[in-house]
Amino acid sequence: VTMPFDTIKTYCQVSKTGVSPMMGAKDIYKLKGVGGFYFGLPAVLVQVAGKGAIRWSAYEHLKHGLQAAGMPKASIDFVAGLGAGFTEAFLWTTPTERLKVLRQNDIRSGLNRYSRLLRVGFP
């Protein structure tokens, strides 16, 4: 439901001419049709699928390490949660968000440089 709005937002943000959201939506539709509003969707799906697994794994690993180190019980959940969030953002969210923005930026260029996730890292 929110993907079209995110695509319009990104389109307006990367525009060098300061396009309004309404004009951005018109441009996207004119250039790519309805499917243009979903450019970057595969990266979002990959992002959502992996976020939970990385966060949970990192949290459990950090929690056990902190317990073994003798950290006070009241602080363990906070520190483990903070570390898990950082790990998820660094290893997963930031790279997949970058892929999504690169794909959405292809709307204007007319190119399909980032049409497949595997090709993104290996042009």
Side-chain angles (χ1 to χ4, degrees), residues 39-104:
F39 264 51
L41 183 60
V44 171
L45 295 176
V46 167
Q47 182 184 57
V48 170
K51 282 174 70 163
I54 289 175
R55 187 176 3 167
W56 181 81
S57 299
Y59 175 81
E60 289 298 320
H61 181 75
L62 290 168
K63 181 178 170 182
H64 293 302
L66 293 170
Q67 287 171 340
M71 181 175 249
K73 189 163 177 59
S75 303
I76 290 175
D77 286 337
F78 175 75
V79 174
L82 187 66
F86 173 80
T87 302
E88 172 201 324
F90 182 76
L91 294 178
W92 196 256
T93 305
T94 302
T96 56
E97 189 71 18
R98 173 75 174 143
L99 296 176
K100 179 193 68 142
V101 170
L102 287 171
R103 179 67 175 140
Q104 289 173 340

Side-chain angles (χ1 to χ4, degrees), residues 6 8 14-15 17 20 25 29 34-35 40 43 46 48 52 58 69-70 85 108 110 120 123:
D6 185 63
I8 294 167
V14 299
S15 172
T17 60
S20 72
Y29 184 76
V34 175
V46 167
V48 170
R108 185 178 311 102
V120 171

